[in-house]
Amino acid sequence: MSIGTVLFATAGVVYGASDDDSAAAALPSNASTLPNNFPFQNELGKATSFSTQGDIERTGAFFEKLGANNRTCETCHVPSDGWGLATRTTRAAFQNTNGNDPLFEFDGHNCPEDDRSTVSARRAASSLLLNKALFRFAKTLPADREFDIIAANGLRCATSDLNQTFYVYRKTLPTTNFQNATSVLWDGAQGEGQVGLRKVANGAVFQHSERTGADISEEQKDQIVNLGNSLSSAQSLDFVARNLAGQGAEGGAIALSQLPIAGPPGFTIYTSWGNIQGTDDVARRRRSIARGQNIFNTKTFAGGQTCTSCHNSQNFGNNVNNAFFATGIAAESNRTSDLPLYTLANRTTGAIVKVMDPGRAIVTGKWADIAKFKPPMLRSLASRPPYFHNGSAATLDDVVAHYNRRFYINFTAQEAQDLGNFLKAL
């Protein structure tokens, strides 16, 4: 079994892989076409993206430089990373360009004032992008907010008024699997659904590509949104379970493109693996994935909730109710020293809370929305580690461990392993 590095269109290096794992097939970085359902290798197996438009021509607004710097949408939404961004890609980009790839421009370094004059300075300046795939986002609180930011500890960029300009650090969300999109961004800014997607398509070139002046054209918005709407992305091969569409299963991007976008919460794609016979590694892993799917659907915690309470889109795993949740990711107790810690004070009660990122409250100004975020889409998870909005979970097993602690679920070791194996097969 050969497990290789997989990238696409970053730092001039691109690697893909064939449907079996015996050999890797290269796809040139300047390839004008991305073959439909091309298998990209990741740490856990292979993932593909299936487009209803067929082979993807790397032309149009998604692949064009629309701003003042050298970025395109593809710079930060990489096909091999499930149209998101993984640290394997950020590190390779830095290595291959000494930190001069467009990925590291503008909000690709921790603070605007960071020194980037040498390779070592650029490495330090972009440490969050290299270690956690995080970009810097400038934020301002609404005037009618219910709280103020009264202090900042740890990482703090130069700013005179924290309530007027402060920075949060977040991962990009994938530009795929938009079939039932509701809230688009982590905090719900720019709205939801197809209207929200168009606003984000336009806003992103100002926020990340330093565009000035007029909005991009309606045709350019169409091109960006239509590409995302055409794509279904999922893990297609697990290095242990093998073909994720085998023995009646419905894993992989092609199956995902054909599944209904409405239905009761939960996953059904691995139900057929529940009664597989055999003692070999493949059979054992497939049964484990089926058990993990059942745990995701039925294991109760926090007063009767299940994983499907938040990830309620059938077989996609995002949230179709435009809902936001506080899962402890931004809490002071979860903070690492490389991220900021903001002290927020309630304007009415004087109550204090410390968080790395105010989340949804940045948009609404509501005290009750502090540290709430949208549940991300779960398909093609293996393509884009690390996880959570702030990259605080290096692996999917770490994701399971966080929720186990946060909600006192008391998974057995077998349950935690099974749930992790299921998430890896999405």
Side-chain angles (χ1 to χ4, degrees), residues 177-182 194 229 231-232 255-266 312-320:
N177 297 334
F178 284 166
Q179 293 90 328
N180 55 5
T182 52
Q194 296 299 308
N229 283 333
L231 291 170
S232 298
L256 179 59
S257 73
Q258 299 169 348
L259 291 170
I261 63 173
N312 61 8
S313 173
Q314 187 182 74
N315 291 319
F316 283 81
N318 58 337
N319 184 282
V320 294

Side-chain angles (χ1 to χ4, degrees), residues 101-180:
D101 190 271
L103 187 67
F104 303 101
E105 296 185 17
F106 191 41
D107 53 11
H109 42 279
N110 300 346
C111 285
E113 65 270 19
D114 285 343
D115 173 33
R116 301 181 69 244
S117 60
T118 66
V119 174
S120 60
R122 288 192 290 276
R123 183 175 290 107
S126 293
S127 62
L128 288 173
L129 188 52
L130 292 169
N131 296 330
K132 294 180 177 177
L134 302 182
F135 291 94
R136 185 185 74 250
F137 291 80
K139 297 291 183 178
T140 299
L141 293 178
D144 60 350
R145 63 189 178 272
E146 297 176 352
F147 61 91
D148 291 316
I149 301 176
I150 61 172
N153 299 101
L155 175 61
R156 177 174 176 177
C157 305
T159 178
S160 59
D161 185 344
L162 285 171
N163 295 291
Q164 288 300 313
T165 303
F166 66 101
Y167 297 96
V168 295
Y169 300 84
R170 297 174 181 173
K171 287 201 67 181
T172 58
L173 284 158
T175 53
T176 184
N177 297 334
F178 284 166
Q179 293 90 328
N180 55 5

Side-chain angles (χ1 to χ4, degrees), residues 25-265:
L27 187 68
S29 60
N30 61 353
S32 61
T33 301
L34 174 62
N36 204 9
N37 214 44
F38 186 84
F40 288 106
Q41 199 162 285
N42 52 52
E43 292 84 349
L44 301 172
K46 296 175 186 175
T48 63
S49 291
F50 179 80
S51 171
T52 56
Q53 299 176 354
D55 292 348
I56 298 169
E57 301 297 326
R58 293 179 63 230
T59 59
F62 190 90
F63 303 97
E64 294 175 356
K65 298 174 183 177
L66 300 175
N69 60 34
N70 290 314
R71 287 177 172 174
T72 70
C73 299
E74 189 185 21
T75 303
C76 307
H77 299 279
V78 183
S80 68
D81 296 357
W83 303 85
L85 188 65
T87 50
R88 81 174 86 81
T89 298
T90 66
R91 291 166 182 172
F94 194 98
Q95 170 95 16
N96 293 331
T97 67
N98 288 326
N100 289 310
D101 190 271
L103 187 67
F104 303 101
E105 296 185 17
F106 191 41
D107 53 11
H109 42 279
N110 300 346
C111 285
E113 65 270 19
D114 285 343
D115 173 33
R116 301 181 69 244
S117 60
T118 66
V119 174
S120 60
R122 288 192 290 276
R123 183 175 290 107
S126 293
S127 62
L128 288 173
L129 188 52
L130 292 169
N131 296 330
K132 294 180 177 177
L134 302 182
F135 291 94
R136 185 185 74 250
F137 291 80
K139 297 291 183 178
T140 299
L141 293 178
D144 60 350
R145 63 189 178 272
E146 297 176 352
F147 61 91
D148 291 316
I149 301 176
I150 61 172
N153 299 101
L155 175 61
R156 177 174 176 177
C157 305
T159 178
S160 59
D161 185 344
L162 285 171
N163 295 291
Q164 288 300 313
T165 303
F166 66 101
Y167 297 96
V168 295
Y169 300 84
R170 297 174 181 173
K171 287 201 67 181
T172 58
L173 284 158
T175 53
T176 184
N177 297 334
F178 284 166
Q179 293 90 328
N180 55 5
T182 52
S183 54
V184 181
L185 300 178
W186 287 109
D187 57 13
Q190 304 292 350
E192 58 184 290
Q194 296 299 308
V195 173
L197 288 173
R198 294 179 69 80
K199 290 181 179 178
V200 170
N202 182 66
V205 298
F206 288 89
Q207 186 165 31
H208 303 297
S209 296
E210 299 180 274
R211 183 182 178 91
T212 58
D215 289 352
I216 62 174
S217 70
E218 294 304 308
E219 180 182 4
Q220 288 170 320
K221 294 175 191 176
D222 286 341
Q223 291 172 354
I224 294 171
V225 172
N226 289 345
L227 175 62
N229 283 333
S230 80
L231 291 170
S232 298
S233 302
Q235 192 80 344
S236 61
L237 181 140
D238 178 276
F239 280 131
V240 181
R242 314 300 300 151
N243 181 6
L244 294 174
Q247 291 185 278
E250 296 179 290
I254 293 178
L256 179 59
S257 73
Q258 299 169 348
L259 291 170
I261 63 173

